[in-house]
Amino acid sequence: MTDAPSRVRSLVAGNWKMNGLEASLNAAAAVRDALPGLGANAPGVMICPPATLLTALAAVAAGSALTVGAQDCHPAPSGAHTGDISAEMVKDAGASAVIVGHSERRADHGELDRIVREKAAAAHRAGLTAIVCIGETKGERLAGLTLDVVRRQLRASIPSASTAANLVVAYEPVWAIGTGLTPKPADVAEVHETIRKSLIGHLGEAARGVRILYGGSVKPDNARELLALPDVNGALVGGASLKADDFLAIIAAAA
Ligand code: PGA
């Protein structure tokens, strides 16, 4: 455990991945409409839809406590990069954050820590919060390398000018994503403590305010236990964020 408990407002972010058509905006609207009833301890709530829905979701969220994030951005502000979107475009579409370095991007698109850092820096350049994902594979965990891996990924993927206001770290063990498996609570706590110490080493004391989310098979029935752990400041939720009732149950567990 770190010396002082962090008093940061937690964040529950839904990552819709490559799911969602216009009709899915109804689920976002249901989440939006439930937020005022959650009380003063409610976490920040964000939905990260596919890029095709960013603008429409920003319209759904306008004037409410719901915020919007993208799932990726290109490092450059504009240019000849067919199929990519820049952090500036994400901002222009009405988002306030962008996920970078998700393990599915690292695996599907060969993204290395250096690119992830460039994307996080692009997010900061555009005035967005970067949600930087890190986490070990099953093989790395079995080999006892988890803490080394997350320290290395943090060192290489976090821009040195990051602040508590523009950086969120998501610890997502690759083997826990979409599998229904989660690490033991003590293991989650150990990794989050390591991330906090590492962040303080890189960014100074202000890093106590950086939110560290847990992600990987967060569900309504395990959210309360995971979210109560030290240095767990919220969750990045994939599959369970697609249904408003499940996502709201996780949000309630963070309140
Ligand atoms: P999951 O995905 O909740 O479906 O495991 C989490 C994530 O990849 O962010």
Side-chain angles (χ1 to χ4, degrees):
M1 247 175 280
T2 43
D3 306 337
S6 43
R7 263 178 268 140
V8 292
R9 185 178 182 219
S10 58
L11 171 68
V12 176
N15 172 12
W16 282 7
K17 309 191 179 186
M18 198 172 73
N19 298 292
L21 301 172
E22 206 185 337
S24 316
L25 297 171
N26 293 333
V31 170
R32 173 201 65 197
D33 292 345
L35 296 185
L38 287 176
N41 290 331
V45 177
M46 180 183 292
I47 293 178
C48 303
T52 48
L53 290 180
L54 279 174
T55 307
L57 211 145
V60 167
S64 79
L66 180 64
T67 56
V68 180
Q71 298 175 15
D72 181 46
C73 67
H74 191 280
S78 62
H81 303 287
T82 302
D84 277 313
I85 57 172
S86 71
E88 281 75 4
M89 292 168 176
V90 165
K91 172 94 172 168
D92 191 49
S96 58
V98 58
I99 299 169
V100 293
H102 191 282
S103 64
E104 288 153 13
R105 300 274 332 160
R106 293 178 187 258
D108 293 354
H109 300 274
E111 289 187 7
L112 304 173
D113 290 332
R114 179 181 58 78
I115 299 284
V116 175
R117 190 179 59 226
E118 288 176 11
K119 292 183 172 195
H124 294 166
R125 180 189 66 222
L128 298 169
T129 296
I131 303 175
V132 178
C133 300
I134 57 172
E136 83 285 1
T137 63
K138 185 83 190 168
E140 288 163 342
R141 174 157 286 271
L142 292 174
L145 294 172
T146 299
L147 301 183
D148 290 341
V149 168
V150 299
R151 281 194 204 99
R152 191 199 68 225
Q153 289 180 325
L154 267 185
R155 192 170 52 242
S157 353
I158 304 271
S160 53
S162 301
T163 67
N166 68 16
L167 176 69
V168 172
V169 173
Y171 168 56
E172 299 206 305
V174 177
W175 54 272
I177 294 175
T179 59
L181 304 171
T182 52
K184 294 190 202 76
D187 291 339
V188 174
E190 181 185 38
V191 176
H192 279 242
E193 179 187 2
T194 299
I195 292 170
R196 180 74 67 202
K197 284 186 175 153
S198 209
L199 284 171
I200 291 169
H202 295 308
L203 305 176
E205 284 299 311
R208 291 195 190 280
V210 173
R211 284 170 291 185
I212 307 173
L213 313 185
Y214 169 77
S217 296
V218 177
K219 309 282 179 215
D221 62 0
N222 63 16
R224 195 167 294 281
E225 183 176 36
L226 289 164
L227 289 165
L229 294 168
D231 278 317
V232 174
N233 310 119
L236 183 56
V237 185
S241 71
L242 296 170
K243 286 198 199 131
D245 287 352
D246 286 353
F247 193 45
L248 283 165
I250 293 169
I251 293 163

